[in-house]
Amino acid sequence: MRYRSRVTAPAALIGTAAALSVGAQAHAAPAATGTPGPETLGDPVYPSLGNDGYRVSAYHLDLAYDATTKLVDATATLKITTTQELTRFSLDALGLDIRTVTVAGRTAAFEQADEKLRITPARCLPAGKKVAVAVTYTADPRRTLAHTAWVPTPDGFAICPQPDSAHTVFPCNDHPVDKADFTFRITVPAGLRGVASGRLVSTENLADGRTAYTYRSREPIATEIVQITVGDYVVTDRPGPHGLPLRDVVPTARATALEPALALTPNLVSWIEQRLGAYPFETYGLLPCNSDDPNAFDFTGLETQTLTLYKPNYLLQEESKIGSHMMHELVHSYFGNLVSPATWADLWINEGHADFYGLLYRYERGWPDSIGLTTMEARMKNTYARGDQWRRDSGPVAAPNAANLFDSQRYLGGVLVLYALRNEIGESAFNAVERAFLDRFRNSSASTDDYIAVASEVSGRDLSGFLRDWLYGTKTPRMPGHPDWTVTPPSTSLRRPENRTDGHHDNSATL
């Protein structure tokens, strides 16, 4: 089992179940001696997200797309291991028309309540039980929901699950702390192609003219970075460093126009491997999905594992306009994908690192950033001056809420923390901290406390006070090595942090 997080889930449900409104319900199961599993993992940003009482080791998702109805018929099979005796357990699910549920091959009672699928097995599950849970359902990628991962396109769909919407695509334990292995079988009509995270392991030509593509992940994936896409695509393969197979999934009609951007990837991978080590997964590439609709999704790129999702038009720009952000998304393969956040309050680890290396890449090439600066020192001095204002408006770097989770404080604010740490302990020690953190929590999840502990251990110094001041303080600490830098006093009027846009993902300084 892959679960190795430092997070401690609550022993009982944190006040969410009582507020749930009950949907369709099957026949009640017999009474048993166990208890229902908690319908939360106690995340400080999304307290109702995730479920306890079990952990998922693997998902098998079997999806069939109908180009006429635009609907997806699916079966999600989860391999779970119980961590307590369970009379009932829940999965996250929203907007899915559930038809049947089985547990260990036996029909189970179920009900849909708000964003939970409550499952009552025919028999109480003992602690430590390994069991398969199968859910058949239909999904409409065009359905209007409070939030959704579906990105409908003229010829199919892609998905953008981050942070809390994977469960609009498949029932799951939708929290990055519970990473699992994934297999995907995607059945599509003639003329379309199905692609998913991982490597293609089989292609079946079915009797009715449809084709089924099966993909398997070599490493576990957090639900929020799964990718599944259907469309009129061509898959372009090219060699990467050290024989790494690179694959891009490109709209057939736009493949030639997009090739200059796609051809940048091998050098990007080489650059980051020199700093963070070998690329950690079986393949990498870009997915410019077949939609430039401004309403399709509210960000520039999303680091779904082994494929980065983009809108095609963004990638038609010259290298100096896109290279830094392409590096940002590639860095997420290490910080965010290889090592996932233990809670959503730890997002700064993902975004701070992605912007840190993305900006270093930009400045090495002499490309001015969005405010005309050309060095990391100049950008950090500019950001430092805004520190108290950002802490006032968006909270400390490692203390977000759901409304400000993707503010620039998690991006550039995170870069400022890393810059301060590197100044404090030196570049050599900083580089050692980065690699040790990735190695220790490889294919798992890690918290801010974990990062502080690794930094202290590797540097040979207790950095807890230093880093906690930077990550949780309401005032910006002094910058090591720059005693002359000053912080502008915050305004009493609320300001939106630099780079803030109406879409919550586009606050990266690499844009």
Side-chain angles (χ1 to χ4, degrees):
M1 187 155 57
R2 306 282 186 177
Y3 182 70
R4 295 194 300 273
S5 169
R6 296 290 198 269
V7 172
T8 300
L13 176 61
I14 304 178
T16 56
L20 295 176
S21 58
V22 176
Q25 185 171 4
H27 295 295
T33 58
T35 58
E39 295 181 352
T40 177
L41 284 169
D43 190 275
V45 178
Y46 296 107
S48 63
L49 199 61
N51 309 272
D52 210 357
Y54 64 91
R55 293 292 176 263
V56 184
S57 61
Y59 292 87
H60 176 78
L61 304 182
D62 192 338
L63 299 91
Y65 177 69
D66 188 317
T68 301
T69 65
K70 311 291 188 184
L71 300 179
V72 175
D73 282 323
T75 300
T77 303
L78 293 70
K79 293 182 179 179
I80 71 169
T81 302
T82 61
T83 58
Q84 67 181 70
E85 189 177 31
L86 292 173
T87 58
R88 188 184 77 198
F89 62 95
S90 57
L91 302 173
D92 298 301
L94 173 65
L96 306 177
D97 297 321
I98 310 294
R99 296 193 299 275
T100 65
V101 178
T102 64
V103 178
R106 299 169 65 94
T107 299
F110 68 91
E111 62 180 5
Q112 292 180 259
D114 285 356
E115 299 191 24
K116 298 295 180 181
L117 171 62
R118 294 173 177 159
I119 299 171
T120 304
R123 297 175 181 172
C124 180
L125 301 178
K129 176 72 172 178
K130 297 181 185 296
V131 66
V133 179
V135 182
T136 65
Y137 63 98
T138 300
D140 181 355
R142 289 163 172 75
R143 177 174 292 172
T144 299
L145 299 169
H147 59 95
T148 185
W150 295 101
V151 180
T153 63
D155 51 359
F157 62 84
I159 64 171
C160 51
Q162 192 183 89
D164 62 339
S165 294
H167 61 277
T168 66
V169 178
F170 58 100
C172 56
N173 201 22
D174 197 3
H175 194 282
V177 79
D178 197 10
K179 300 170 76 164
D181 295 328
F182 273 83
T183 303
F184 309 86
R185 185 174 187 267
I186 310 167
T187 302
V188 295
L192 298 181
R193 185 155 190 158
V195 183
S197 299
R199 292 292 302 275
L200 179 67
V201 295
S202 72
T203 302
E204 304 169 69
N205 296 313
L206 306 179
D208 58 4
R210 297 184 302 162
T211 303
Y213 299 92
T214 299
Y215 292 79
R216 181 173 298 124
S217 66
R218 189 182 68 189
E219 279 82 20
I221 308 178
T223 53
E224 50 103 5
I225 47 175
V226 163
Q227 183 56 256
I228 308 165
T229 187
V230 168
D232 180 9
Y233 291 122
V234 58
V235 176
T236 301
D237 298 309
R238 72 185 82 234
H242 317 299
L244 173 70
L246 302 175
R247 57 98 189 248
D248 299 303
V249 181
V250 193
T252 302
R254 307 185 73 170
T256 300
L258 288 165
E259 177 57 24
L262 307 179
L264 299 175
T265 299
N267 286 336
L268 290 164
V269 174
S270 292
W271 188 91
I272 199 60
E273 284 191 332
Q274 293 170 18
R275 288 151 182 84
L276 298 179
Y279 176 78
F281 301 120
E282 59 268 50
T283 185
Y284 183 67
L286 305 188
L287 167 60
C289 77
N290 195 19
S291 177
D292 284 302
D293 183 348
N295 297 317
F297 46 85
D298 61 351
F299 52 87
T300 298
L302 181 66
E303 67 278 11
T304 50
Q305 192 157 312
T306 70
L307 277 173
T308 290
L309 178 69
Y310 277 108
K311 291 178 183 175
N313 278 349
Y314 175 78
L315 295 173
L316 296 179
Q317 302 177 89
E318 62 187 72
E319 182 183 2
S320 63
K321 301 294 185 184
I322 63 176
S324 181
H325 193 263
M326 289 175 69
M327 179 58 70
H328 171 109
E329 299 299 346
L330 175 58
V331 171
H332 278 312
S333 296
Y334 298 82
F335 293 96
N337 297 12
L338 179 66
V339 180
S340 298
T343 76
W344 282 107
D346 304 308
L347 181 73
W348 77 273
I349 299 176
N350 301 17
E351 303 301 346
H353 279 97
D355 259 15
F356 180 84
Y357 291 101
L359 287 173
L360 286 179
Y361 186 77
R362 173 186 289 278
Y363 298 137
E364 276 193 13
R365 277 144 190 78
W367 300 333
D369 61 28
S370 60
I371 58 176
L373 302 176
T374 57
T375 67
M376 180 67 90
E377 182 174 327
R379 188 57 183 265
M380 290 299 94
K381 184 177 182 180
N382 177 278
T383 303
Y384 183 81
R386 304 165 187 264
D388 283 1
Q389 186 72 53
W390 286 12
R391 288 169 190 266
R392 180 186 181 278
D393 295 345
S394 293
V397 173
N401 57 42
N404 64 30
L405 178 62
F406 290 97
D407 276 9
S408 293
Q409 181 71 307
R410 260 45 76 186
Y411 292 74
L412 263 178
V415 177
L416 194 65
V417 174
L418 297 172
Y419 181 82
L421 175 62
R422 190 176 68 170
N423 283 359
E424 178 71 10
I425 65 175
E427 186 169 358
S428 177
F430 175 80
N431 293 340
V433 167
E434 297 285 87
R435 292 209 181 204
F437 178 77
L438 292 171
D439 182 63
R440 184 163 304 177
F441 296 100
R442 183 182 190 89
N443 290 329
S444 187
S445 302
S447 68
T448 298
D449 283 347
D450 291 325
Y451 187 82
I452 293 171
V454 170
S456 297
E457 178 185 328
V458 173
S459 68
R461 296 173 47 189
D462 183 358
L463 293 168
S464 56
F466 175 84
L467 282 172
R468 286 187 175 279
D469 284 348
W470 276 97
L471 291 163
Y472 297 106
T474 57
K475 294 290 185 181
T476 306
R478 292 189 176 185
M479 177 59 70
H482 295 284
D484 57 317
W485 286 13
T486 58
V487 180
T488 304
S491 167
T492 55
S493 60
L494 186 67
R495 296 181 181 178
R496 289 167 27 135
E498 178 184 309
N499 294 332
R500 180 70 189 268
T501 67
D502 291 335
H504 63 223
H505 284 273
D506 271 358
N507 299 315
S508 170
T510 60
L511 288 167

